[in-house]
Amino acid sequence: MPSAVRTDVERFITNFSSYDEIFFKSLSKNDHQWADGKKSHQSGIVIPREYIFFFGLDEAPSRNETLELDIDWFFKGSIFKRKDLDGKSTTLKFYCEGNRENRPEAHLTNVYYPYFVNIEDGSLIVVGRIHLENIYKYQAMIIDVKEEKILEEIMDILSIPEGLSWGVVNRTTLKDDFLSVLSKKALELLAKYGCIPSTEVTSSAVWQLLSQKPYFIRELFGNRWKNSKNIFESALENYPGDIIRWMLQNVEFELLKCIEKNFYPPFMTVEVKKEWNNSSFINDWDQLTLALGYALDGIMDVSKRITQSRRSRAGKSFERHIRYILEKNNIIFEEQVGEKRLDFQIITVNKNISLSAKTSIRERWKQVNDGSYFITLDRFVPRSKLEQICQRNIKLVVPEKDKDQIEHYSDNEMVYSFKSFFDLLKTM
């Protein structure tokens, strides 16, 4: 399958400091099936409307608009442009007229199609943006979903939360007033614990914040329940999977970053002071640059601690959020039981149910007992892997949006949404 190779990833990482922002998206069938000659209403990648700014549109146009883009594609160790094929430039097309008047849509079209032929659903496109005076240049690559080691490496480097389908690195979709609340909470937690608090503390803080300030849920759901007494309760009842994904990957992750920004810099300062021979204050940029160079190894060690901490916390936080949902629905359970350390043993009147909770599938499903349930936030489970999972009578539980929108999920009775799974438990 077409995929970025190690050399491409190394080139992207080398250029990392040149990018002001990085866009990523897990590709769906519609994003690539056109390259295989299959009927499709689009000939490129759908770009979520909230990220059109990344490709040069400051706001949604009132008329159809097309922008030419300068994109270098890192592929098989070399650099290519779409123009190398037929002279055409890659474009961003924004449709908001005719049948798209009420459902505007943006497409990245005229892409470098050798990257897209026979590619797997769930492969990750990563695009770095370079700001040059009044123009943008872009560098892009696609990592096949089967290249798990390379995929995990780039996700770690970019700090992409597992299970997130798309987004922009170094930019949050949360509004300023919510970020201000999270920043204040981060300082409170750091003052109380004196260190990075446990996932039990941060996940609990998120639940408490949204319970007290449910209007922040409109960040995700808009005015869907504008007449509801408590939009947070309505969201949990109707879309528990979507809300947990948002709480974990957006709200709690942003809270953690606020805590890190206040906790780790003093350690980096210590590294600089330790390597700086002159005890006087560093008072110019040249001195600071030199000091940072001497302290680089120590700073890298701190950075590794941050990456390792984020990676280990994600799964634990996810289990905490599942626990809160189970408790909220008065479902009896035990945690961490059995030789294979199942995350939850659900205790019902009729029978007990084994539930494994992991943010991503990878090969972890092979460790799950036959007949169990596997609840996940994974961006996408390819059809072939889902068939293997189902053959062992393992039921997959995914967020509501995924169940509705991924074709081989929607018509598969072995795939449950969070809501349908929790509703099932309440009847047993």
Side-chain angles (χ1 to χ4, degrees):
M1 298 296 175
S3 177
V5 296
R6 176 67 56 185
T7 306
D8 301 318
V9 174
E10 289 174 354
R11 176 180 281 125
F12 194 90
I13 293 171
T14 298
N15 295 345
F16 186 83
S17 61
S18 301
Y19 306 138
D20 65 335
E21 290 184 328
I22 299 172
F23 172 80
F24 64 90
K25 184 187 180 188
S26 178
L27 300 181
S28 67
K29 186 179 294 295
N30 281 340
D31 290 326
H32 63 82
Q33 66 178 357
W34 52 268
D36 301 324
K38 297 180 180 179
K39 187 176 181 181
S40 175
H41 75 285
Q42 67 188 60
S43 58
I45 303 168
V46 168
I47 302 298
R49 292 196 299 276
E50 63 265 37
Y51 297 111
I52 58 175
F53 70 88
F54 180 85
F55 295 98
L57 289 174
D58 294 330
E59 57 183 7
S62 57
R63 301 179 61 182
N64 289 352
E65 187 162 336
T66 300
L67 294 178
E68 285 195 5
L69 303 175
D70 184 355
I71 298 185
D72 290 331
W73 296 88
F74 297 168
F75 185 46
K76 295 184 177 179
S78 299
I79 300 175
F80 300 90
K81 291 183 182 290
R82 169 58 195 248
K83 285 184 176 181
D84 297 334
L85 298 174
D86 52 17
K88 295 181 180 179
S89 295
T90 299
T91 60
L92 178 75
K93 290 188 176 181
F94 189 84
Y95 303 93
C96 59
E97 298 179 10
N99 63 354
R100 283 290 166 191
E101 184 175 359
N102 297 320
R103 295 182 299 114
E105 193 169 272
H107 293 173
L108 192 64
T109 61
N110 291 337
V111 291
Y112 185 69
Y113 60 74
Y115 237 143
F116 294 81
V117 178
N118 296 321
I119 201 166
E120 290 274 340
D121 296 349
S123 297
L124 187 73
I125 182 171
V126 183
V127 185
R129 187 178 71 181
I130 303 172
H131 194 183
L132 299 173
E133 296 183 356
N134 296 322
I135 63 170
Y136 290 121
K137 289 178 64 70
Y138 301 88
Q139 296 178 337
M141 61 182 177
I142 296 177
I143 304 169
D144 190 86
V145 69
K146 292 182 178 180
E147 297 288 347
E148 293 192 358
K149 289 185 178 180
I150 297 179
L151 190 59
E152 182 174 342
E153 179 181 346
I154 198 70
M155 289 180 67
D156 281 346
I157 291 170
L158 302 185
S159 295
I160 299 174
E162 292 186 84
L164 196 61
S165 297
W166 54 66
V168 168
V169 177
N170 296 330
R171 183 183 177 104
T172 178
T173 58
L174 302 182
K175 294 182 179 178
D176 290 343
D177 54 347
F178 197 5
L179 289 174
S180 178
V181 170
L182 291 176
S183 180
K184 181 179 179 181
K185 175 58 68 174
L187 292 175
E188 291 176 2
L189 295 176
L190 197 52
K192 181 177 181 179
Y193 294 96
C195 62
I196 302 291
S198 68
T199 55
E200 181 178 5
V201 171
T202 54
S203 58
S204 177
V206 168
W207 277 75
Q208 184 181 32
L209 270 176
L210 292 174
S211 296
Q212 296 172 347
K213 305 176 185 296
Y215 48 85
F216 283 130
I217 294 294
R218 299 195 192 283
E219 300 266 351
L220 180 63
F221 291 104
N223 294 319
R224 183 172 298 174
W225 295 293
K226 61 182 179 181
N227 297 322
S228 173
K229 292 182 178 179
N230 191 319
I231 188 175
F232 183 45
E233 296 295 327
S234 298
L236 287 173
E237 180 180 350
N238 292 278
Y239 297 93
D242 292 343
I243 192 68
I244 285 179
R245 173 182 277 168
W246 180 73
M247 289 168 68
L248 174 62
Q249 296 179 344
N250 292 72
V251 184
E252 187 174 354
F253 188 52
E254 195 63 44
L255 175 63
L256 175 62
K257 288 195 292 183
C258 288
I259 295 171
E260 291 173 342
K261 287 175 184 177
N262 289 279
F263 180 73
Y264 283 111
F267 291 94
M268 295 184 177
T269 302
V270 167
E271 295 297 330
V272 173
K273 288 180 178 179
K274 188 166 46 178
E275 297 296 338
W276 187 245
N277 295 324
N278 191 335
S279 59
S280 63
F281 179 72
I282 298 175
N283 56 15
D284 66 55
W285 291 112
D286 288 338
Q287 282 184 310
L288 179 59
T289 301
L290 185 60
L292 288 174
Y294 286 137
L296 188 59
D297 287 343
I299 293 173
M300 291 294 290
D301 287 339
V302 176
S303 298
K304 288 177 183 177
R305 285 167 56 190
I306 297 173
T307 299
Q308 291 168 354
S309 172
R310 288 180 177 181
R311 187 189 305 171
S312 64
R313 291 177 67 93
K316 294 176 182 178
S317 286
F318 183 44
E319 291 175 20
R320 287 286 173 185
H321 287 286
I322 296 301
R323 176 181 177 176
Y324 295 142
I325 287 285
L326 292 172
E327 291 175 341
K328 184 174 183 59
N329 286 287
N330 298 315
I331 296 168
I332 302 173
F333 64 92
E334 295 177 352
E335 292 184 85
Q336 297 289 332
V337 298
E339 293 182 1
K340 294 190 177 181
R341 292 187 63 79
L342 298 167
D343 298 309
F344 300 96
Q345 187 78 18
I346 310 297
I347 303 170
T348 70
V349 175
N350 300 316
K351 65 175 181 177
N352 292 350
I353 292 175
S354 299
L355 175 65
S356 183
K358 306 295 179 188
T359 53
S360 65
I361 293 285
R362 294 192 182 140
E363 297 304 307
R364 296 166 181 166
W365 65 273
K366 294 180 179 179
Q367 302 169 4
V368 177
N369 292 325
D370 293 2
S372 300
Y373 288 80
F374 196 122
I375 191 166
T376 185
L377 297 176
D378 205 314
R379 300 187 309 276
F380 185 90
V381 180
R383 190 185 298 270
S384 57
K385 182 175 287 188
L386 180 59
E387 289 174 354
Q388 296 178 53
I389 293 171
C390 293
Q391 285 173 3
R392 288 186 45 199
N393 195 29
I394 296 173
K395 291 87 170 177
L396 193 64
V397 184
V398 300
E400 290 71 31
K401 187 174 183 179
D402 295 354
K403 172 65 175 175
D404 291 340
Q405 296 186 0
I406 297 177
E407 184 179 353
H408 62 279
Y409 286 6
S410 60
D411 59 359
N412 192 324
E413 295 180 354
M414 298 287 283
V415 180
Y416 292 75
S417 69
F418 277 53
K419 175 176 172 54
S420 61
F421 174 64
F422 291 127
D423 287 346
L424 173 66
L425 293 181
K426 287 185 284 188
T427 63
M428 300 179 71

